[in-house]
Amino acid sequence: MSAFPKINQLKSSRTLARIFSAFIFVSLPSFASATDYPLTVTDLGGRRVEIKSEPKRVVIQDGRDLFTLALLDRKDPFQRIVGWNNILSRSDNHSWSVFAKAWPESSARATDFKFGDEGQLNLELVASSKADLIIAQKRVLPALEDAKVIDRMAQLGVPVLLVDSELDPTNNAPQSVTLLGKVLNREAEAAEYTGFYRKRLDQVRSAMAGAPPVKVFVEAKAGQKGLDSCCFTHGDVYWGKLITAAGGQNLGASLVKGRTGEVALETVLGARPDVYVLTGSPFANQSSVSPPFGLTGDKAAIDAAMTKIAGRKGFEHLKAIQERRLVGLYHQLYASSWNIYAVEFLAKAFYPERLRQIDPDATLRQVIGMTGLPKDTPAIFGATLATR
């Protein structure tokens, strides 16, 4: 008998062994990354928080953390939410409708507690929800402490976990995703996104290394109160931090004393920004002419709104408008772990020659692909004056 069959059998056996080994290697992370409870974590407020078991009933203080839950609980980001502050339904009904359509039953079960934006929680409602975890943004910690929310929840055995995607977005958003991945037993999903996020951020930083800073003024919620209102901005937090991360010099940091504030148009004119950034969302108030960025495909409405805002009285004297360097972005990105899109879009607008290879819209498609949303979900998160 020929020796070749034995050799072929040996080769086949080795091939099967390699396939089996590869299968085990690929499968291991889903087992190895499972969270062991109880565990103690350090949240973004530097607090030690004990999590006794996997949270099943969660209260969300800031509804925009839904963007993070969509990355972690990909089958259903509402599956744990028993109560929350549904900011999207009031500030971006378009995007809210997309989420509600994707998960009609569970999104309807989650009760909107309509918490105050500064962290004012209704303790009776929270207690009645029988929550086993409260997730809150770090910025509202003073309000939580003043109302003794953390102490009172501790008496009920309900931990409060602080995350942050607003005060220091590019540093803390990926850390918050990692933290929630650990707490919610979604470590593999968290690692996939944070690895992607840091790779994209490193590419932006490398491309703009050594470039001179660009003077930028950001008008947050542009057009929300109509065309006669200008100019609300952010200091060295929120959009101000994202401007800095993209290589810009945020003029708002020196023009307002607190986190946010109003700046007169005359002052903005005197500051001579190289780039004027406005943020928009389909706000619910009737007077709003804000560009309806978000999970939407209505580019014509966005372009029309940007044209109206750029045409406000006095804007023709702005250097940025004269040089056609008006940039528009989805307002809710400043409070979302998806903010890597904002950094890419801004950096490319500031340094177009250096960042030719960066494609923010492709990045956004990849982010949406890491959620349970339909892969063909329409999304327009950014635009420039030159796109009209």
Side-chain angles (χ1 to χ4, degrees):
M1 181 181 291
S2 171
F4 288 108
K6 293 183 179 179
I7 294 174
N8 289 335
Q9 289 174 6
L10 181 61
K11 288 182 177 179
S12 298
S13 298
R14 288 174 177 172
T15 300
L16 287 172
R18 289 193 191 102
I19 294 173
F20 183 69
S21 298
F23 174 78
I24 293 176
F25 179 76
V26 171
S27 302
L28 271 176
S30 63
F31 295 101
S33 62
T35 301
D36 292 324
Y37 301 94
L39 75 153
T40 300
V41 296
T42 301
D43 71 7
L44 271 291
R47 303 165 48 254
R48 300 275 288 173
V49 181
E50 182 182 7
I51 308 296
K52 294 182 179 179
S53 59
E54 181 178 337
K56 300 293 186 181
R57 300 178 62 82
V58 177
V59 167
I60 307 294
Q61 171 265 323
D62 190 318
R64 289 164 297 199
D65 285 328
L66 178 65
F67 289 106
T68 298
L69 290 180
L71 294 166
L72 301 176
D73 283 332
R74 300 182 183 184
K75 290 184 178 179
D76 184 353
F78 296 97
Q79 66 185 50
R80 305 174 200 261
I81 303 177
V82 292
W84 67 319
N85 184 17
N86 188 358
I87 295 175
L88 286 183
S89 67
R90 295 182 287 280
S91 62
D92 178 7
N93 194 51
H94 295 179
S95 295
W96 165 241
S97 297
V98 171
F99 276 100
K101 183 179 179 180
W103 295 281
E105 294 183 8
S106 56
S107 63
R109 286 198 306 267
T111 303
D112 184 2
F113 288 159
K114 299 181 180 179
F115 297 136
D117 189 52
E118 295 304 316
Q120 302 89 340
L121 304 188
N122 186 316
L123 290 175
E124 291 184 3
L125 286 176
V126 173
S128 67
S129 72
K130 298 181 180 178
D132 52 21
L133 176 68
I134 298 173
I135 299 173
Q137 283 286 324
K138 177 183 175 180
R139 67 176 173 84
V140 305
L141 179 58
L144 298 180
E145 291 178 333
D146 288 346
K148 301 189 182 303
V149 170
I150 296 175
D151 292 340
R152 294 181 183 182
M153 287 298 102
Q155 293 172 2
L156 297 175
V158 182
V160 176
L161 191 74
L162 298 179
V163 296
D164 178 44
S165 55
E166 303 172 359
L167 297 177
D168 194 1
T170 55
N171 287 322
N172 289 348
Q175 289 187 45
S176 296
V177 172
T178 297
L179 174 66
L180 287 173
K182 181 73 172 177
V183 169
L184 300 178
N185 194 18
R186 293 290 184 267
E187 292 184 71
E189 292 84 351
E192 180 187 12
Y193 182 67
T194 56
F196 168 81
Y197 186 109
R198 292 190 170 100
K199 181 180 179 180
R200 302 301 301 173
L201 187 60
D202 287 344
Q203 288 176 343
V204 169
R205 287 172 172 168
S206 176
M208 65 184 190
V214 176
K215 291 199 299 181
V216 182
F217 183 82
V218 54
E219 182 184 356
K221 299 190 288 188
Q224 183 190 27
K225 298 178 181 179
L227 289 175
D228 295 331
S229 178
C230 183
C231 304
F232 177 71
T233 194
H234 292 173
D236 193 29
V237 292
Y238 313 152
W239 276 107
K241 284 288 190 186
L242 290 172
I243 295 295
T244 303
Q249 176 191 346
N250 173 39
L251 295 174
S254 60
L255 295 178
V256 296
K257 294 181 179 180
R259 291 181 181 177
T260 64
E262 298 281 347
V263 179
L265 178 57
E266 292 78 8
T267 302
V268 179
L269 286 167
R272 293 182 57 78
D274 300 307
V275 180
Y276 195 97
V277 174
L278 60 86
T279 72
S281 190
F283 297 107
N285 53 301
Q286 292 183 346
S287 62
S288 176
V289 292
S290 186
F293 290 108
L295 297 179
T296 176
D298 199 345
K299 184 177 183 299
I302 290 170
D303 287 349
M306 288 185 67
T307 300
K308 286 182 180 179
I309 290 173
R312 287 181 290 186
K313 185 178 180 180
F315 267 54
E316 70 273 15
H317 301 298
L318 276 169
K319 175 188 174 186
I321 297 297
Q322 293 170 351
E323 297 181 357
R324 299 179 66 81
R325 300 192 73 183
L326 176 69
V327 177
L329 282 159
Y330 178 41
H331 178 67
Q332 310 306 336
L333 278 172
Y334 87 91
S336 167
S337 56
W338 295 16
N339 62 36
I340 187 60
Y341 175 88
V343 175
E344 286 194 352
F345 197 93
L346 288 167
K348 188 159 188 172
F350 298 165
Y351 309 105
E353 295 300 318
R354 286 172 169 259
L355 281 88
R356 286 181 179 177
Q357 303 305 315
I358 299 295
D359 187 348
D361 289 325
T363 292
L364 180 58
R365 299 313 317 171
Q366 287 180 271
V367 172
I368 292 174
M370 282 186 266
T371 72
L373 288 168
K375 297 195 185 314
D376 60 351
T377 296
I380 303 177
F381 278 23
T384 63
L385 188 67
T387 61
R388 300 200 315 275

